[in-house]
């Protein structure tokens, strides 16, 4: 099964259907909002949107939407919205 961006979604772990769905919803939110901040505004909104989603200069904040999105995605591909938002947050020290 794939999401709207073409990424393969991990299989749902047994016994955790609600948590898994919440993490995948977080992944969609981070992808859409982060994608707009990076691609539509040319990165101008990344320093504002990044911390709101959980991207900090030290990495992804524990318990944030970004952490849930990364948990749903698993390995994050180079060039993805999550990797670009992490990079932008770390450069904005």
């Amino acid at each position: 099964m794939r999401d709207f961006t073409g990424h393969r979604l991990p299989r749902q772990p047994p016994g955790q259907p609600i948590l898994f769905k919440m993490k995948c919803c977080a992944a969609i939110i981070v992808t859409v909002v982060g994608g707009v901040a990076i691609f539509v505004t040319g990165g101008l909104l990344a320093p504002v949107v990044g911390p709101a989603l959980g991207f900090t200069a030290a990495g992804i904040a524990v318990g944030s939407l970004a952490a849930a999105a990364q948990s749903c995605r698993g390995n994050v591909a180079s060039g993805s919205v999550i990797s670009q938002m992490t990079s932008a947050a770390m450069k904005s020290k």
Side-chain angles (χ1 to χ4, degrees):
M1 178 182 238
R2 296 183 182 273
D3 68 3
F4 68 94
T5 62
H7 291 96
R8 174 171 273 158
L9 291 174
R11 291 187 182 261
Q12 180 174 331
Q16 299 179 355
I18 300 297
L19 182 61
F20 180 77
K21 289 177 184 176
M22 288 172 53
K23 287 180 182 179
C24 289
C25 285
I28 292 169
I29 291 168
V30 168
T31 301
V32 171
V33 174
V36 168
I38 292 171
F39 299 113
V40 176
T41 67
L44 294 175
L45 288 182
V48 176
V49 173
L53 294 175
F55 296 98
T56 67
I60 294 178
V62 176
S64 65
L65 278 174
Q70 187 176 18
S71 174
C72 178
R73 290 274 188 227
N75 293 334
V76 177
S78 174
S80 68
V81 172
I82 293 175
S83 69
Q84 290 187 13
M85 289 296 290
T86 303
S87 177
M90 289 185 164
K91 289 178 184 174
S92 68
K93 271 187 171 179

